[in-house]
């Protein structure tokens, strides 16, 4: 009897490993940036021609940085949730418009001049927000994706929860689901809000 | 023949004009040393979009951006290790095809040796146990007699079974 116990135990261990491994989404790579200060940047805003934004402008607030683009299909899925959340006055949301023109495979941005690309970016981004609603306090334009690399963006949409000291506390990879908002982001944000 | 001539002309014109524009391939001509380093670094890095492709091989949009980033860091004089550290600090150990040895990866690195050691230990124990086991009990007198009788009967038989040689 004992000789069957060892293979059975080994098999159960294997089943355990497989059960954990196969239930993981390999596309969700945990971000090393959680717990680290949000990388600094200064980018042009979507709203004003000469307005700039930098994460340090949000010091003292708990806020969300949401990476989006008009060509991003999953963004469309999460957008109504963000719009509703912003209406309730949940948290300030800053939009990082990621490679609006270059990320869209249909347009060859190399053939555009920098000012043409900026104009096209503004037109598309503003048009999309007008159509689907604007949950953002403001949006910034990351046309070449450099800031995206600094934030470890590899699939849009992604959302970062940043605390009052400018430290990233949570990263949502892929669209925000109502469950993630209710069970993770909101409780954590409330906790962070009490911290001084 | 015409084609050969044309290609020779093309080569000649490339050699004659070092700054020649050639679309995607243009950066290659800029500095072969930088490109060689770019390839050697990016072959060791994983593309996060197509996870089983290296950064050097992937045609994904993000891989192109990351190669451009690596290239600009090479040109800025960063060492290979600094560039790798930068990407790890942004995307995690997952970008490395060779995971570093640290407490969270000990099981990954040493697990196979642990299994091997356990298997060798098990085998030695099994062999020892088998060697230490008492030899098979001797034949009882009655059994021995019966066996001898059977053998004698087979030997004295005139017609042994056909299939025995």
């Amino acid at each position: 009897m004992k000789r069957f116990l060892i293979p059975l135990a080994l098999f159960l261990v294997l089943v355990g490993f497989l059960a954990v491994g196969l239930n993981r989404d390999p596309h969700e790579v945990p971000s090393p940036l959680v717990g680290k200060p949000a990388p600094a940047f200064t980018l042009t805003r979507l709203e004003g021609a000469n307005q700039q934004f930098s994460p340090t402008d949000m010091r003292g607030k708990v806020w969300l940085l949401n990476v989006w683009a008009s060509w991003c299909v999953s963004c469309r899925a999460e957008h109504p949730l963000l719009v509703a959340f912003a209406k309730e006055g949940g948290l300030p949301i800053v939009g990082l418009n990621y490679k609006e023109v270059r990320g869209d495979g249909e347009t060859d941005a190399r053939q555009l001049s920098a000012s043409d690309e900026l104009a096209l970016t503004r037109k598309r981004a503003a048009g999309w927000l007008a159509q689907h609603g604007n949950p953002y306090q403001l949006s910034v334009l990351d046309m070449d994706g450099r800031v995206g690399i600094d934030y470890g963006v590899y699939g849009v949409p992604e959302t970062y929860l940043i605390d009052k000291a400018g430290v990233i506390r949570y990263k949502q990879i892929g669209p925000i689901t109502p469950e993630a908002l209710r069970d993770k982001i909101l409780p954590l944000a409330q906790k962070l809000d009490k911290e001084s | 023949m015409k084609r050969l001539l044309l290609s020779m002309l093309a080569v000649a014109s490339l050699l004659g004009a070092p700054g020649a524009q050639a679309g995607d391939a243009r950066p290659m001509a800029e500095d072969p040393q930088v490109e060689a380093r770019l390839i050697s670094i990016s072959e060791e890095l994983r593309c996060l979009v197509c996870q089983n492709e290296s950064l050097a091989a992937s045609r994904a949009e993000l891989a192109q951006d990351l190669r451009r980033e690596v290239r600009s860091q090479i040109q800025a004089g960063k060492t290979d290790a600094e560039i790798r550290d930068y990407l790890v600090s942004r995307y995690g150990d997952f970008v490395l095809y060779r995971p570093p040895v640290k407490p969270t990866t000990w099981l990954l690195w040493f697990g196979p040796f642990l299994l091997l050691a356990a298997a060798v230990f098990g085998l030695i124990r099994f062999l020892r146990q088998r060697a230490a086991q008492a030899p098979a009990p001797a034949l009882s007198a009655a059994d021995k007699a019966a066996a001898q009788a059977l053998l004698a009967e087979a030997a004295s038989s005139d017609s042994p079974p056909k299939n025995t040689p």
Side-chain angles (χ1 to χ4, degrees), chain A residues 17 26-27 29 32-33 39 98-99 102-103 110 144 146 148-150 152-154, chain B residues 24 48-49 51 61-62 65-66 68-69 86-92 94 107 125:
Chain A
F17 273 106
H27 284 279
V29 181
L33 283 166
Y98 178 73
K99 294 177 71 177
R102 294 186 199 190
R110 281 177 307 194
D144 59 4
R146 280 291 313 273
I149 290 177
D150 257 356
V153 171
Y154 63 93
Chain B
D24 269 11
L48 285 119
V49 180
Q51 299 185 338
E61 185 94 18
L62 180 71
D65 288 355
L66 287 174
R68 195 186 55 201
E69 181 67 28
Y86 168 77
L87 286 171
V88 169
S89 72
R90 292 324 189 224
Y91 290 98
F94 190 74
L107 189 65
R125 228 181 60 157

Side-chain angles (χ1 to χ4, degrees), chain B residues 71-139:
Chain B
R71 186 183 287 127
S72 70
Q73 293 203 4
I74 292 173
Q75 281 161 347
K78 295 256 181 80
T79 66
D80 290 10
E82 280 171 344
I83 295 170
R84 261 195 295 275
D85 286 350
Y86 168 77
L87 286 171
V88 169
S89 72
R90 292 324 189 224
Y91 290 98
D93 287 335
F94 190 74
V95 293
L96 300 174
Y97 268 123
R98 294 171 206 266
V101 181
K102 57 184 201 181
T104 50
T105 59
W106 279 354
L107 189 65
L108 178 71
W109 277 99
F110 305 121
F113 299 107
L114 213 69
L115 278 180
L116 184 69
V120 167
F121 175 75
L123 180 69
I124 290 174
R125 228 181 60 157
F126 174 72
L127 288 178
R128 283 220 178 123
Q129 256 178 10
R130 203 169 64 168
Q133 254 171 17
L139 235 47

